[in-house]
Amino acid sequence: MTEQPVRLSRASGAGGAAEPRPEPEREARQATLYDLVGGTAFFFRLVDRFYEGVESDPPLRAIYPDDLAPGKEHLALFLQQYWGGPGTYSAERGHPRLRMRHVEFRIDQRQRDAWLAHMLEAVDAVVADAALEPEVDQAAREAFAQYFDHAATFLINAPG
C-alpha cells in the first residue's frame, strides 16, 4: 500500500477568511494546515521568529513602524485564519485587504526578497521545532513557501 500525499486545505472566503467554528464541526471537516501544525501557538511562534529576522535587518526594519507589537499580532491572527483557524482577524479588523494595508510602505524587490528570506527561515525553524509527521512537515513547508512567495510578490508597490 502506498502512502497518499497529505492534502492541505485552508478556509475559503474573502481573502481566505474563515468564520469561527465550534470544535465538533472542526473534527467533521478536512484537516487544515492550522490543525496539522498544532493551531494558534504555531502561528504566534512563526511570527515571533520572523520578526527576530526583521529586527536584525536594518534596511527591512526601516519600513516597519517603531512599535512592532500590533503588526506581530495582526500577522499571526491573519495567518492562523488564512490557514483554517479561528476568524479572529476578520472579526477584529474586517477583510484582510493586504495591498491596501501595505500601500503606505515602500516595498520593492529588495524588501520583498529580504521579507521572504526571513519568513522562510522562520518557517523552517518553527516547522522543525514542531516535530510534525514527515509527510505533514514536507506539505506544510511547501504550502507556506508557495503562499509566502506569492504574497511577498503581490505586495511589491515600488520599482527597484
Side-chain angles (χ1 to χ4, degrees):
M1 172 183 245
T2 61
E3 281 190 36
Q4 294 295 319
V6 174
R7 296 190 196 281
L8 300 177
S9 69
R10 65 171 190 80
S12 61
E19 292 300 315
R21 302 173 201 240
E23 286 304 314
E25 288 182 28
R26 183 174 297 282
E27 293 174 15
R29 65 181 170 77
Q30 181 179 0
T32 64
L33 185 62
Y34 172 85
D35 300 318
L36 295 171
V37 298
T40 298
F42 175 91
F43 291 96
F44 277 87
R45 284 192 307 272
L46 176 64
V47 169
D48 283 342
R49 183 64 179 255
F50 165 71
Y51 269 86
E52 288 173 13
V54 168
E55 290 179 291
S56 70
D57 186 332
L60 187 60
R61 177 63 178 92
I63 68 170
Y64 282 80
D66 291 340
D67 184 2
L68 296 175
K72 288 171 78 171
E73 181 174 6
H74 297 156
L75 180 56
L77 293 175
F78 170 77
L79 292 174
Q80 78 171 8
Q81 176 175 301
Y82 182 87
W83 293 104
T88 309
Y89 180 90
S90 288
E92 292 180 1
R93 297 184 47 83
H95 189 283
R97 300 179 309 224
L98 293 179
R99 284 184 71 89
M100 184 203 77
R101 293 184 193 274
H102 291 85
V103 74
E104 69 183 89
F105 306 106
R106 184 183 183 281
I107 302 169
D108 64 19
Q109 186 69 42
R110 287 180 314 219
Q111 279 93 15
R112 177 255 184 226
D113 293 348
W115 185 96
L116 183 60
H118 290 297
M119 185 56 82
L120 294 179
E121 184 280 326
V123 166
D124 285 342
V126 176
V127 168
D129 288 348
L132 305 171
E133 294 295 323
E135 63 276 4
V136 172
D137 180 296
Q138 185 62 33
R141 288 173 192 268
E142 289 173 11
F144 282 132
Q146 182 178 12
Y147 172 74
F148 289 130
D149 180 67
H150 173 76
T153 301
F154 178 72
L155 293 176
I156 292 174
N157 62 13

